[in-house]
Amino acid sequence: MAIGDIIVGIDIGTSKVCTVVGEVNNFGQVEIICNTSYKCNGLKKGKIINEEEICLCIAKTIKNAEEETNLKINSSYVTIQGKYVTIVQNSITKEVKDKYSGISIKDVQNAMLQVKDIEIPDEKTLIDIVPDKITLENGTVVKDPVGNLSSHFTISAQVILAEKEYVRQLNNIFKKVGLEIDGIVPIALAERNLVLDKNELHDNIMLLDIGAGNTEIGIFESSTFMYTNSIPVGGDNITNDIAFVLNISEEEADKLKRQYGLALKSFIDNDNDIILNTSKDDNKNRIIKSSELIEIIEARIEEIFSIVNKDITNQGVKQKINNVILTGQGIVNINKSDVAGKINLNIPVKISTGRLISTVKATYRTSYALVRYVAARPFAKTVSSDIDSQNSESFIKTIFERVKEFFYS
């Protein structure tokens, strides 16, 4: 990355589209200069069901971003769900062009091009290469080999493939909006450096992001991206269950979930009475016990963790996981969700305590994580989105205000 690079990141979620615009400052850090979101129902159970609605929502967030920053946005990075992603581990050994001058950036970039040369199934397409370990001829593992004297080096990387049909749909949507796609990044990969703390970055971790309608799974063996998937259940399913079982409105169900959110009935202190204000039963003043509500929440949370457990067991990756890190708006506000996770997964579970996660508005965390991931990509020739400055002087003046709006005061 280069100082002044401007990166645009878009996350298409099950409940909204979020766009974040960031700029690389003089310290190599990403400053968020704009963030916008718009409610969207074009994605359901992880599938694109309404391209036109997604187009409209992306266009609205881009329009708002352009008005706030006085920039013309021509391209963007975008997230992709784990269910459409396949990870292939590959490594190659590269001879150095001039061993007396040391390994050059061009040597590394050429190695990156070679490591992607794998057999790709017809229904899949390449979306990313993630360099993992670089080993010099003497066996030393280095993060950045450039400048080291070595006649050859070995690069291990994850070659990220995606379903060609889903990528085609994304390209079609962005084309209609008038945007080019700079790159497509799996959600779990983007979120890793935001959600995990320093110790967890070197551990064998399952990152579990439970959102409104989707749960993202990402498994990392230290720095190696091992596995990702997504399951089409999330926090909205808990709300829907409450509304259906108690025969009340979804609005009241969501309010009750937030007010009495508890993942395990065994942790109830006082089994209070709850008056249902929107009951559709004959008894308009229906009263239930809080234990009845929590029992509904507990059943759905147990199901989510059970589905995750079945998936990672079937994939043969469960035994690699030391700890589970839980994040996502669909679950973290429900008390004892980490305990419920540990019971169902039989693996230690904790709520994310990543240093940056508490400073970023929950709505924009995935988009922000995407921008940070792109900005930190090693050995990339360029990461900047295609941006036209409409009024650079006005743009500079707005940076501080946008940063204040993005971060909690």
Side-chain angles (χ1 to χ4, degrees), residues 72 90 264 295 314 366:
K72 176 69 175 69
N90 195 26
L264 293 165
E295 192 171 4
N314 290 344
T366 302

Side-chain angles (χ1 to χ4, degrees), residues 29 51-52 57 70 92 95 121 136 139 161 172 175 185 196 216 260 295 314 355 360 378 383 386 405 408:
Q29 299 169 329
E51 286 191 12
E52 295 303 322
C57 295
N70 287 311
I92 62 112
E95 295 294 325
L136 305 180
L161 308 179
N172 190 45
K175 193 172 182 180
V185 179
L196 305 185
E216 287 292 322
Y260 294 92
E295 192 171 4
N314 290 344
R355 183 175 59 86
V360 182
V383 297
D386 184 1
E405 287 176 10
Y408 288 118

Side-chain angles (χ1 to χ4, degrees), residues 199-383:
N199 293 329
E200 291 159 357
L201 288 171
H202 303 289
D203 194 3
N204 294 356
I205 292 289
M206 176 165 70
L207 194 163
L208 210 55
D209 182 350
I210 302 179
N214 222 44
T215 295
E216 287 292 322
I217 303 168
I219 297 176
F220 300 88
E221 193 171 4
S222 187
S223 61
T224 303
F225 190 24
M226 295 295 299
Y227 176 72
T228 186
N229 198 3
S230 48
I231 57 175
V233 286
D236 284 353
N237 296 90
I238 300 172
T239 304
N240 295 339
D241 288 351
I242 295 169
F244 177 78
V245 174
L246 300 182
N247 202 18
I248 57 176
S249 71
E250 287 190 7
E251 289 76 17
E252 184 175 16
D254 188 61
K255 183 179 177 181
L256 291 175
K257 181 181 75 172
R258 295 174 188 275
Q259 185 175 353
Y260 294 92
L262 186 62
L264 293 165
K265 195 168 66 170
S266 57
F267 282 89
I268 294 175
D269 290 328
N270 297 303
D271 199 2
N272 301 323
D273 288 339
I274 300 174
I275 300 173
L276 303 179
N277 297 316
T278 62
S279 176
K280 299 169 187 174
D281 297 343
D282 292 337
N283 181 6
K284 297 296 182 183
N285 296 316
R286 184 182 169 196
I287 298 175
I288 64 165
K289 289 289 187 180
S290 58
S291 57
E292 295 178 61
L293 170 68
I294 292 162
E295 192 171 4
I296 300 167
I297 297 172
E298 181 176 345
R300 179 60 81 169
I301 288 178
E302 181 181 345
E303 184 201 27
I304 292 172
F305 284 121
S306 295
I307 295 172
V308 171
N309 188 51
K310 183 177 180 181
D311 180 69
I312 61 177
T313 301
N314 290 344
Q315 293 296 326
V317 291
K318 182 177 179 179
Q319 68 274 15
K320 297 178 183 291
I321 303 166
N322 294 335
N323 291 285
V324 177
I325 306 301
L326 200 57
T327 187
Q329 287 181 275
I331 194 75
V332 293
N333 292 324
I334 298 178
N335 291 328
K336 304 300 179 183
S337 53
D338 52 341
V339 180
K342 183 178 180 180
I343 291 170
N344 287 280
L345 296 171
N346 198 28
I347 308 173
V349 178
K350 60 169 281 193
I351 304 294
S352 171
T353 54
R355 183 175 59 86
L356 287 171
I357 196 166
S358 62
T359 66
V360 182
K361 290 181 180 178
T363 301
Y364 301 104
R365 278 177 191 160
T366 302
S367 302
Y368 174 57
L370 171 61
V371 171
R372 288 187 77 250
Y373 168 79
V374 170
R377 289 184 70 180
F379 318 119
K381 292 181 179 179
T382 179
V383 297

Side-chain angles (χ1 to χ4, degrees), residues 80 84-88 116 118-129 159-168 170-171 184:
I80 186 171
Y84 297 110
V85 173
T86 301
I87 304 167
V88 179
K116 74 176 177 61
I118 62 169
E119 188 173 337
I120 299 176
D122 290 340
E123 72 278 8
K124 298 187 183 299
T125 186
L126 175 73
I127 60 169
D128 202 0
I129 306 163
V159 182
I160 313 295
L161 308 179
E163 289 190 15
K164 192 177 286 184
E165 175 57 24
Y166 188 80
V167 172
R168 185 200 65 76
L170 283 179
N171 278 313
I184 303 172

